[in-house]
Amino acid sequence: MAKLGEENMKQAKVLNEIEIRKLIKVCELTRYAERNRLIVMLSFLSGMRAVEIANLRVSNVISDTNEVLDLIVLNKEQTKGNKRQTVVVSKQLKKEIMRFIAKFPNILKNKNGFLLKTQKGNFNSQTIQNLFRQLFELANIQQASSHSGRRTFITKLSENGVAVAVIQKLARHSSLATTQRYIEVSEDKLFNAVNSI
């Protein structure tokens, strides 16, 4: 399954289903299994960036009535590029958040507090990136980084036939060209496309 273009080689690896399952399994073996699983899911199921995951507050994901929100609204201090962003929450991601909250219900006591914490306090973009690096090493997945979840999310949307303009909105890119650079196109996909005619 060769990739086209050298630029794809420099970008974070797009994971297949087997690798994603392997990564989730590795999370279960870590000391903070539930937290690490949710971090991975936020990346792979919504395309959230490391900085956005690190800055998530309980109030971003949980309503006043303790329900998981359909949209995560991030203020400009929580995102890349100093812009307010909205993240759409899928049914699967909702389940993952509910699972985490069920395991740690005390989180709901402080809605202004951070959703995810380290042993020493709060995450930042770098500590999220470091955690992903450790998880990928444990899972023996090469060329992957904290950006792999985001690239996998965007590529899967494309493979499922979602229009690029919609993907751009879900990825929260200001430029369509940026979104197109994220989508991995393998030779197998090209052969499948021409053989579908």
Side-chain angles (χ1 to χ4, degrees), residues 102-119:
K103 188 88 173 167
F104 304 103
N106 284 346
I107 287 173
L108 298 174
K109 290 179 182 172
N110 181 11
K111 294 269 174 75
N112 292 322
F114 286 96
L115 180 67
L116 303 155
K117 295 185 178 194
T118 69
Q119 196 178 353

Side-chain angles (χ1 to χ4, degrees), residues 54-139:
N55 287 321
L56 265 184
R57 304 270 180 175
V58 176
S59 60
N60 292 133
V61 295
I62 303 292
S63 72
D64 294 338
T65 56
N66 292 338
E67 302 293 322
V68 178
L69 296 165
D70 293 325
L71 298 172
I72 296 172
V73 179
L74 302 168
N75 64 41
K76 63 182 185 175
E77 288 80 26
Q78 292 174 289
T79 66
K80 179 188 172 205
N82 241 1
K83 279 190 216 150
R84 188 172 174 269
Q85 300 278 2
T86 303
V87 179
V88 178
V89 181
S90 67
K91 288 177 187 169
Q92 194 180 349
L93 183 54
K94 259 191 184 183
K95 283 182 193 165
E96 293 293 337
I97 295 167
M98 287 190 293
R99 172 190 164 127
F100 183 75
I101 298 297
K103 188 88 173 167
F104 304 103
N106 284 346
I107 287 173
L108 298 174
K109 290 179 182 172
N110 181 11
K111 294 269 174 75
N112 292 322
F114 286 96
L115 180 67
L116 303 155
K117 295 185 178 194
T118 69
Q119 196 178 353
K120 296 175 184 171
N122 301 326
F123 277 104
N124 60 39
S125 181
Q126 190 58 57
T127 50
I128 292 281
Q129 290 172 46
N130 293 345
L131 174 62
F132 269 106
R133 195 174 304 115
Q134 290 165 4
L135 293 172
F136 286 126
E137 276 176 26
L138 286 170

